[in-house]
Amino acid sequence: MLKIEALSLDVSNGSGDVSILKNINLELESGKFYAITGPNGGGKTSLAKVIMGIYKNTSGKIYLDDTDITDFDITQRARAGISYAFQNPPRFKGLKVKDLLKISAGEKEENVGSVYSRLRAVGLCPQDYLDRECDNSLSGGEMKRIELATVLSRPSKVIIYDEPEAGVDLWSFEKLLNLINKYHSRGGVITIVITHHEKVLSLADEIILIADGEVKEKGSRDKMLNILQDDFRCRWQQDCGGDENELKCY
Ligand SMILES: Nc1ncnc2c1ncn2[C@@H]1O[C@H](COP(=O)(O)OP(=O)(O)OP(=O)(O)O)[C@@H](O)[C@H]1O
Ligand SMILES: [Mg+2]
């Protein structure tokens, strides 16, 4: 179980401290598939980065299977079994794709067969990519796929995918989602997908709505899909003073 207790995150933005996450409380069970959704700027990525240890929370506690990991750094959390696929994957100038895959799988020697199959699984031809550098010459969608291959190549207790749909073409996204689901089906993993995509929401056991740095609602998929529809209508009317039919204009 991943337990998040009274977690908050304040950051300094030059003109003072701003509160990004406020009193987040969550208990995520092993074997369950969670979707986190909510408006842009609501705090989803910040929460993922706090769980991964990239951001240090200002207060609160994080437990993984009863171990207090609040003071663990990124490496310790990765060793404890937490993986994070970035919304915008970092680039590594000078590092070849094959080396990134090798490092992420913890392989000392290059295992060509497994590197090949991991790239093929995410729809990339190994011969075209193995010797490419993980720098800005890779497109956004290519980098997302390579990152997915790295995350899926190691055993994890918790995997957070931050908008896996971002930058991935519609034809491929379904296949990548199948991969995520297949990994989850092996059992024993907490899958957390941050998403704006209806297809992902429809796969989740539970959906968590985060807005304004807070958990606004959480619950079963069916309950939450109804709430999300109503919430969307409300926000649209509130923001624009119109009704949802105006969407047709776009
Ligand atoms: N390091 C930082 N310094 C200052 N502000 C930050 C920092 N990181 C995040 N924020 C702010 O915190 C808020 C939440 O950002 P976050 O990236 O978590 O949102 P999000 O829910 O992932 O949004 P999106 O759906 O657009 O990806 C935003 O207003 C963002 O500008
Ligand atoms: Mg985000």
Side-chain angles (χ1 to χ4, degrees), residues 138-196:
L138 288 166
S139 77
E142 287 168 336
M143 200 58 222
K144 285 288 267 192
R145 287 161 185 246
I146 290 164
E147 189 191 43
L148 186 62
T150 66
V151 166
L152 295 177
S153 65
R154 53 179 179 257
S156 298
K157 287 185 181 171
V158 179
I159 308 191
I160 310 168
Y161 305 91
D162 198 342
E163 298 197 26
E165 68 265 28
V168 173
D169 63 73
L170 286 175
W171 299 272
S172 309
F173 180 57
E174 199 135 332
K175 290 199 174 123
L176 298 186
L177 199 51
N178 286 343
L179 272 185
I180 291 173
N181 219 0
K182 197 168 150 198
Y183 190 102
H184 180 74
S185 308
R186 300 201 309 209
V189 65
I190 299 171
T191 298
I192 305 169
V193 187
I194 297 172
T195 187
H196 301 288

Coordinates of all heavy atoms in Angstrom, one line a residue, residues 138-196:
L138 N 15.2 13.5 -30.8 CA 14.1 12.6 -30.8 C 12.8 13.4 -30.6 O 12.8 14.4 -29.9 CB 14.2 11.6 -29.6 CG 15.3 10.5 -29.7 CD1 15.5 9.9 -28.3 CD2 14.9 9.4 -30.7
S139 N 11.7 13.0 -31.3 CA 10.5 13.7 -31.2 C 9.9 13.4 -29.8 O 10.3 12.5 -29.1 CB 9.5 13.3 -32.3 OG 8.9 12.0 -31.9
G140 N 8.9 14.3 -29.5 CA 8.2 14.1 -28.2 C 7.6 12.7 -28.0 O 7.8 12.1 -27.0
G141 N 6.9 12.3 -29.1 CA 6.3 10.9 -29.0 C 7.3 9.8 -28.9 O 7.1 8.8 -28.2
E142 N 8.4 9.9 -29.7 CA 9.4 8.9 -29.6 C 10.0 8.8 -28.2 O 10.2 7.7 -27.7 CB 10.6 9.2 -30.6 CG 10.1 9.0 -32.1 CD 11.1 9.6 -33.1 OE1 11.9 10.6 -32.7 OE2 11.2 9.1 -34.2
M143 N 10.3 10.0 -27.6 CA 10.9 10.0 -26.3 C 9.9 9.4 -25.3 O 10.3 8.6 -24.4 CB 11.3 11.4 -25.9 CG 12.3 11.5 -24.8 SD 13.9 10.7 -25.1 CE 14.2 10.0 -23.5
K144 N 8.6 9.6 -25.4 CA 7.6 9.1 -24.5 C 7.6 7.6 -24.6 O 7.5 6.9 -23.6 CB 6.2 9.6 -24.8 CG 5.8 11.0 -24.4 CD 5.7 11.2 -23.0 CE 4.3 11.0 -22.4 NZ 4.2 11.5 -21.0
R145 N 7.7 7.0 -25.8 CA 7.8 5.6 -26.0 C 9.0 4.9 -25.4 O 8.9 3.9 -24.8 CB 7.7 5.2 -27.5 CG 6.4 5.5 -28.2 CD 6.6 5.5 -29.6 NE 5.5 5.9 -30.3 CZ 4.8 5.1 -31.2 NH1 5.3 3.9 -31.4 NH2 3.8 5.4 -31.8
I146 N 10.2 5.6 -25.6 CA 11.4 5.1 -25.1 C 11.3 5.1 -23.5 O 11.7 4.1 -22.9 CB 12.6 5.9 -25.6 CG1 12.8 5.6 -27.1 CG2 13.9 5.6 -24.8 CD1 13.7 6.6 -27.8
E147 N 10.8 6.1 -23.0 CA 10.6 6.2 -21.5 C 9.7 5.1 -21.0 O 10.0 4.5 -20.0 CB 10.1 7.6 -21.1 CG 10.2 7.7 -19.6 CD 9.4 8.9 -19.1 OE1 8.3 9.1 -19.6 OE2 9.9 9.6 -18.3
L148 N 8.6 4.9 -21.8 CA 7.7 3.8 -21.4 C 8.5 2.4 -21.4 O 8.3 1.6 -20.4 CB 6.5 3.7 -22.3 CG 5.4 2.8 -21.9 CD1 4.8 3.1 -20.6 CD2 4.3 2.8 -23.0
A149 N 9.3 2.2 -22.4 CA 10.1 1.0 -22.5 C 11.0 0.9 -21.2 O 11.2 -0.2 -20.7 CB 10.9 1.0 -23.8
T150 N 11.6 2.0 -20.8 CA 12.5 1.9 -19.6 C 11.7 1.6 -18.4 O 12.2 0.8 -17.6 CB 13.3 3.2 -19.4 OG1 12.4 4.3 -19.0 CG2 14.1 3.6 -20.6
V151 N 10.6 2.2 -18.2 CA 9.8 2.0 -17.0 C 9.3 0.5 -16.9 O 9.3 -0.1 -15.9 CB 8.6 3.0 -16.9 CG1 7.6 2.6 -15.9 CG2 9.2 4.4 -16.6
L152 N 8.8 0.0 -18.1 CA 8.3 -1.3 -18.1 C 9.3 -2.4 -18.0 O 9.0 -3.6 -17.9 CB 7.4 -1.5 -19.3 CG 6.2 -0.6 -19.4 CD1 5.4 -0.8 -20.7 CD2 5.2 -0.9 -18.2
S153 N 10.6 -2.0 -18.0 CA 11.6 -3.1 -18.1 C 12.1 -3.4 -16.7 O 13.0 -4.2 -16.5 CB 12.8 -2.6 -18.9 OG 13.4 -1.5 -18.3
R154 N 11.6 -2.8 -15.6 CA 12.0 -3.1 -14.3 C 10.9 -3.4 -13.4 O 9.8 -2.9 -13.6 CB 12.9 -2.0 -13.7 CG 12.2 -0.7 -13.7 CD 13.1 0.4 -13.1 NE 12.4 1.7 -13.1 CZ 12.7 2.6 -14.0 NH1 13.7 2.5 -14.9 NH2 12.0 3.8 -14.0
P155 N 11.1 -4.3 -12.4 CA 10.0 -4.6 -11.5 C 9.7 -3.4 -10.6 O 10.6 -2.7 -10.1 CB 10.5 -5.7 -10.6 CG 12.0 -5.7 -10.7 CD 12.4 -4.9 -12.0
S156 N 8.4 -3.1 -10.5 CA 8.0 -1.9 -9.6 C 6.8 -2.3 -8.7 O 6.0 -3.2 -9.1 CB 7.5 -0.8 -10.5 OG 8.5 -0.3 -11.3
K157 N 6.8 -1.6 -7.6 CA 5.6 -1.8 -6.7 C 4.6 -0.7 -7.1 O 3.4 -0.8 -6.8 CB 6.0 -1.6 -5.3 CG 6.7 -2.8 -4.8 CD 7.0 -2.6 -3.3 CE 7.8 -3.8 -2.7 NZ 8.2 -3.6 -1.3
V158 N 5.1 0.5 -7.5 CA 4.2 1.6 -7.8 C 4.8 2.2 -9.1 O 5.9 2.5 -9.2 CB 4.3 2.7 -6.7 CG1 3.5 3.9 -7.1 CG2 4.0 2.2 -5.4
I159 N 3.9 2.3 -10.1 CA 4.3 3.0 -11.3 C 3.3 4.2 -11.6 O 2.1 4.0 -11.6 CB 4.2 2.2 -12.6 CG1 5.0 0.8 -12.4 CG2 4.8 2.9 -13.8 CD1 5.2 0.1 -13.7
I160 N 3.9 5.4 -11.8 CA 3.1 6.6 -12.1 C 3.4 7.0 -13.5 O 4.6 7.2 -13.9 CB 3.5 7.7 -11.1 CG1 3.5 7.3 -9.7 CG2 2.5 8.9 -11.4 CD1 4.1 8.3 -8.7
Y161 N 2.4 6.9 -14.3 CA 2.6 7.4 -15.7 C 1.9 8.8 -15.8 O 0.7 8.9 -15.6 CB 1.8 6.4 -16.7 CG 2.2 5.0 -16.6 CD1 1.5 4.1 -15.7 CD2 3.2 4.4 -17.4 CE1 1.8 2.8 -15.6 CE2 3.5 3.1 -17.3 CZ 2.8 2.3 -16.4 OH 3.1 0.9 -16.3
D162 N 2.7 9.8 -16.2 CA 2.2 11.1 -16.2 C 1.8 11.5 -17.7 O 2.6 11.7 -18.5 CB 3.3 12.1 -15.7 CG 2.7 13.4 -15.3 OD1 1.5 13.7 -15.7 OD2 3.3 14.2 -14.6
E163 N 0.5 11.5 -17.9 CA -0.1 11.7 -19.2 C 0.6 10.9 -20.3 O 1.3 11.5 -21.2 CB -0.1 13.2 -19.5 CG -0.9 14.0 -18.5 CD -1.2 15.4 -19.0 OE1 -1.3 15.6 -20.2 OE2 -1.5 16.3 -18.1
P164 N 0.5 9.6 -20.3 CA 1.1 8.8 -21.3 C 0.6 9.1 -22.7 O 1.2 8.8 -23.7 CB 0.8 7.3 -20.9 CG -0.4 7.5 -20.0 CD -0.3 8.8 -19.3
E165 N -0.6 9.7 -22.8 CA -1.2 10.1 -24.1 C -0.5 11.3 -24.7 O -0.6 11.5 -25.9 CB -2.7 10.3 -23.9 CG -3.1 11.6 -23.1 CD -3.4 11.3 -21.6 OE1 -2.8 10.4 -21.1 OE2 -4.1 12.1 -21.0
A166 N 0.2 12.1 -23.9 CA 0.7 13.3 -24.4 C 1.7 13.1 -25.5 O 2.8 12.5 -25.4 CB 1.4 14.1 -23.3
G167 N 1.4 13.6 -26.7 CA 2.4 13.6 -27.8 C 2.4 12.3 -28.6 O 3.1 12.1 -29.5
V168 N 1.6 11.3 -28.1 CA 1.5 10.0 -28.8 C 0.4 10.0 -29.7 O -0.8 10.4 -29.4 CB 1.4 8.9 -27.7 CG1 1.2 7.5 -28.4 CG2 2.6 8.8 -26.8
D169 N 0.6 9.5 -31.0 CA -0.5 9.5 -31.9 C -1.6 8.6 -31.6 O -1.4 7.6 -30.8 CB 0.0 9.2 -33.4 CG 0.6 7.8 -33.5 OD1 -0.2 6.9 -33.5 OD2 1.9 7.7 -33.5
L170 N -2.8 8.9 -32.0 CA -4.0 8.2 -31.7 C -3.9 6.7 -32.0 O -4.4 5.9 -31.3 CB -5.2 8.7 -32.4 CG -5.7 10.1 -32.0 CD1 -6.8 10.6 -32.9 CD2 -6.2 10.0 -30.6
W171 N -3.2 6.4 -33.1 CA -3.2 5.0 -33.5 C -2.3 4.2 -32.6 O -2.6 3.0 -32.3 CB -2.6 4.9 -34.9 CG -3.4 5.6 -35.9 CD1 -4.4 5.1 -36.6 CD2 -3.3 7.0 -36.3 NE1 -5.0 6.0 -37.4 CE2 -4.3 7.2 -37.3 CE3 -2.4 8.0 -36.0 CZ2 -4.5 8.4 -37.9 CZ3 -2.6 9.2 -36.5 CH2 -3.6 9.5 -37.5
S172 N -1.3 4.8 -32.0 CA -0.4 4.1 -31.2 C -0.8 4.1 -29.7 O -0.4 3.2 -29.0 CB 1.0 4.7 -31.2 OG 1.5 4.9 -32.5
F173 N -1.6 5.1 -29.3 CA -1.9 5.2 -27.9 C -2.6 4.0 -27.3 O -2.3 3.5 -26.2 CB -2.7 6.5 -27.6 CG -3.0 6.6 -26.2 CD1 -2.0 6.6 -25.2 CD2 -4.3 6.7 -25.7 CE1 -2.2 6.7 -23.9 CE2 -4.6 6.8 -24.3 CZ -3.5 6.8 -23.4
E174 N -3.5 3.5 -28.1 CA -4.2 2.3 -27.6 C -3.3 1.1 -27.4 O -3.4 0.4 -26.4 CB -5.3 1.9 -28.7 CG -6.3 1.0 -28.1 CD -7.7 1.4 -28.6 OE1 -7.9 2.6 -28.9 OE2 -8.6 0.6 -28.7
K175 N -2.3 1.0 -28.2 CA -1.3 -0.1 -28.1 C -0.5 0.1 -26.8 O -0.2 -0.8 -26.0 CB -0.4 -0.2 -29.3 CG -1.1 -0.7 -30.5 CD -0.2 -1.3 -31.5 CE -1.0 -1.9 -32.7 NZ -0.7 -1.3 -34.0
L176 N -0.1 1.3 -26.6 CA 0.7 1.7 -25.4 C -0.1 1.4 -24.1 O 0.4 0.9 -23.1 CB 1.3 3.1 -25.5 CG 2.2 3.4 -26.6 CD1 2.8 4.8 -26.5 CD2 3.3 2.4 -26.7
L177 N -1.4 1.8 -24.2 CA -2.2 1.6 -23.1 C -2.4 0.1 -22.8 O -2.4 -0.4 -21.6 CB -3.6 2.2 -23.4 CG -4.5 2.5 -22.2 CD1 -3.8 3.3 -21.1 CD2 -5.7 3.3 -22.7
N178 N -2.5 -0.7 -23.8 CA -2.5 -2.2 -23.6 C -1.3 -2.7 -22.9 O -1.4 -3.6 -22.0 CB -2.6 -2.9 -25.0 CG -3.9 -2.8 -25.6 OD1 -4.9 -2.4 -24.9 ND2 -4.0 -3.0 -26.9
L179 N -0.1 -2.1 -23.2 CA 1.1 -2.5 -22.5 C 1.1 -2.1 -21.1 O 1.5 -2.9 -20.2 CB 2.3 -1.7 -23.1 CG 3.1 -2.2 -24.3 CD1 4.2 -1.3 -24.6 CD2 3.6 -3.6 -24.0
I180 N 0.6 -0.9 -20.8 CA 0.4 -0.5 -19.4 C -0.5 -1.5 -18.6 O -0.2 -1.9 -17.5 CB -0.1 1.0 -19.3 CG1 1.0 1.9 -19.9 CG2 -0.6 1.3 -17.9 CD1 0.5 3.4 -20.0
N181 N -1.6 -1.8 -19.3 CA -2.5 -2.7 -18.7 C -2.0 -4.1 -18.5 O -2.2 -4.8 -17.5 CB -3.8 -2.8 -19.6 CG -5.0 -2.8 -18.8 OD1 -5.0 -2.8 -17.6 ND2 -6.2 -2.8 -19.5
K182 N -1.2 -4.5 -19.5 CA -0.6 -5.9 -19.4 C 0.4 -6.0 -18.2 O 0.4 -6.9 -17.4 CB 0.2 -6.2 -20.7 CG 0.5 -7.6 -20.9 CD 0.9 -7.8 -22.4 CE 1.9 -8.9 -22.5 NZ 2.7 -8.9 -23.7
Y183 N 1.2 -4.9 -18.0 CA 2.1 -4.9 -16.9 C 1.3 -4.9 -15.6 O 1.6 -5.7 -14.7 CB 3.0 -3.6 -16.9 CG 4.1 -3.6 -16.0 CD1 5.4 -3.9 -16.4 CD2 3.9 -3.4 -14.6 CE1 6.5 -3.9 -15.5 CE2 4.9 -3.4 -13.7 CZ 6.2 -3.6 -14.1 OH 7.3 -3.7 -13.2
H184 N 0.2 -4.2 -15.6 CA -0.6 -4.1 -14.4 C -1.2 -5.5 -14.1 O -1.3 -5.9 -12.9 CB -1.7 -3.1 -14.5 CG -2.6 -2.9 -13.3 ND1 -2.2 -2.3 -12.2 CD2 -3.9 -3.4 -13.1 CE1 -3.2 -2.4 -11.3 NE2 -4.2 -3.1 -11.8
S185 N -1.6 -6.2 -15.1 CA -2.3 -7.5 -14.9 C -1.4 -8.5 -14.4 O -1.9 -9.6 -13.9 CB -2.8 -8.0 -16.3 OG -3.6 -7.0 -16.9
R186 N -0.1 -8.3 -14.4 CA 0.8 -9.3 -13.7 C 0.6 -9.3 -12.2 O 1.0 -10.3 -11.6 CB 2.3 -8.9 -14.0 CG 2.6 -8.9 -15.5 CD 4.1 -9.0 -15.8 NE 4.9 -8.1 -15.1 CZ 6.1 -7.7 -15.5 NH1 6.5 -8.0 -16.8 NH2 6.8 -6.9 -14.8
G187 N 0.0 -8.3 -11.7 CA -0.5 -8.3 -10.3 C 0.6 -7.6 -9.4 O 1.7 -7.5 -9.7
G188 N 0.1 -7.2 -8.2 CA 1.0 -6.7 -7.2 C 1.5 -5.3 -7.4 O 2.4 -4.9 -6.6
V189 N 1.0 -4.6 -8.4 CA 1.6 -3.3 -8.6 C 0.4 -2.2 -8.4 O -0.7 -2.5 -8.7 CB 2.2 -3.2 -10.0 CG1 1.2 -3.4 -11.1 CG2 2.9 -1.9 -10.2
I190 N 0.8 -1.1 -7.9 CA -0.1 0.0 -7.9 C 0.1 0.9 -9.1 O 1.2 1.4 -9.3 CB 0.1 0.9 -6.6 CG1 -0.1 0.1 -5.3 CG2 -0.8 2.1 -6.6 CD1 0.4 0.8 -4.1
T191 N -0.8 0.9 -10.0 CA -0.7 1.6 -11.3 C -1.4 3.0 -11.1 O -2.6 3.0 -10.7 CB -1.3 0.9 -12.5 OG1 -0.5 -0.3 -12.6 CG2 -1.2 1.7 -13.7
I192 N -0.7 4.1 -11.3 CA -1.3 5.4 -11.2 C -1.1 6.1 -12.6 O 0.0 6.3 -13.0 CB -0.7 6.2 -10.1 CG1 -0.7 5.5 -8.8 CG2 -1.3 7.6 -10.0 CD1 0.2 6.2 -7.7
V193 N -2.2 6.4 -13.3 CA -2.0 7.1 -14.5 C -2.7 8.5 -14.4 O -3.8 8.6 -14.1 CB -2.7 6.3 -15.7 CG1 -2.4 7.0 -17.0 CG2 -2.3 4.9 -15.8
I194 N -1.8 9.5 -14.6 CA -2.3 10.8 -14.6 C -2.8 11.1 -16.1 O -2.1 10.8 -17.0 CB -1.2 11.8 -14.3 CG1 -0.8 11.6 -12.8 CG2 -1.7 13.3 -14.4 CD1 0.5 12.4 -12.4
T195 N -4.0 11.5 -16.2 CA -4.6 11.5 -17.6 C -5.7 12.5 -17.7 O -6.4 12.9 -16.8 CB -5.1 10.1 -18.0 OG1 -5.5 10.1 -19.3 CG2 -6.3 9.7 -17.1
H196 N -5.9 12.9 -19.0 CA -7.1 13.7 -19.4 C -7.9 12.8 -20.4 O -8.8 13.3 -21.0 CB -6.7 15.0 -20.0 CG -5.9 15.9 -19.2 ND1 -6.4 16.6 -18.1 CD2 -4.6 16.2 -19.2 CE1 -5.4 17.3 -17.5 NE2 -4.3 17.1 -18.2

